[in-house]
């Protein structure tokens, strides 16, 4: 969830499940392509919480991110 969209007031905003480490080019792509970014879990819409959204990684696997910094595979990703 973007900090600039009022997210900075949320207590969980800087926890691991809301943060993706990406380069400047990818971040720009996320902003220029919001539909795909939301579909792949790279951006999160309110009222969803980051722990409820699957994140697709470059290898095509989907992960669920947790506040403690752990990523876990999903049943769909294991297939």
């Amino acid at each position: 969830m973007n900090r600039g969209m009022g997210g900075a007031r949320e207590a969980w905003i800087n926890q691991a499940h809301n943060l993706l480490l990406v380069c400047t080019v990818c971040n720009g792509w996320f902003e220029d392509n919001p539909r795909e970014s939301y579909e792949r879990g790279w951006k999160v819409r309110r009222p969803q919480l980051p722990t409820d959204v699957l994140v697709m990684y470059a290898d095509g696997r989907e992960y669920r991110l947790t506040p403690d910094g752990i990523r876990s595979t999903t049943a769909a990703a294991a297939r």
Side-chain angles (χ1 to χ4, degrees):
M1 185 169 298
N2 294 339
R3 292 176 59 89
M5 300 298 291
R9 292 188 302 270
E10 305 291 342
W12 48 264
I13 198 72
N14 290 318
Q15 291 181 345
H17 64 300
N18 190 51
L19 304 171
L20 292 177
L21 181 62
V22 297
C23 68
T24 304
V25 173
C26 289
N27 187 61
W29 191 92
F30 294 170
E31 295 301 316
D32 292 342
N33 298 278
R35 183 176 51 83
E36 293 93 344
S37 297
Y38 287 115
E39 288 173 357
R40 296 175 183 161
W42 300 331
K43 295 184 73 153
V44 178
R45 285 190 174 102
R46 289 180 186 263
Q48 291 178 306
L49 294 175
T51 52
D52 298 334
V53 177
L54 297 177
V55 178
M56 182 180 289
Y57 275 63
D59 64 2
R61 294 182 184 178
E62 290 181 322
Y63 295 91
R64 187 169 309 281
L65 306 179
T66 63
D68 59 0
I70 303 297
R71 71 176 185 185
S72 60
T73 58
T74 64
R79 289 185 221 154

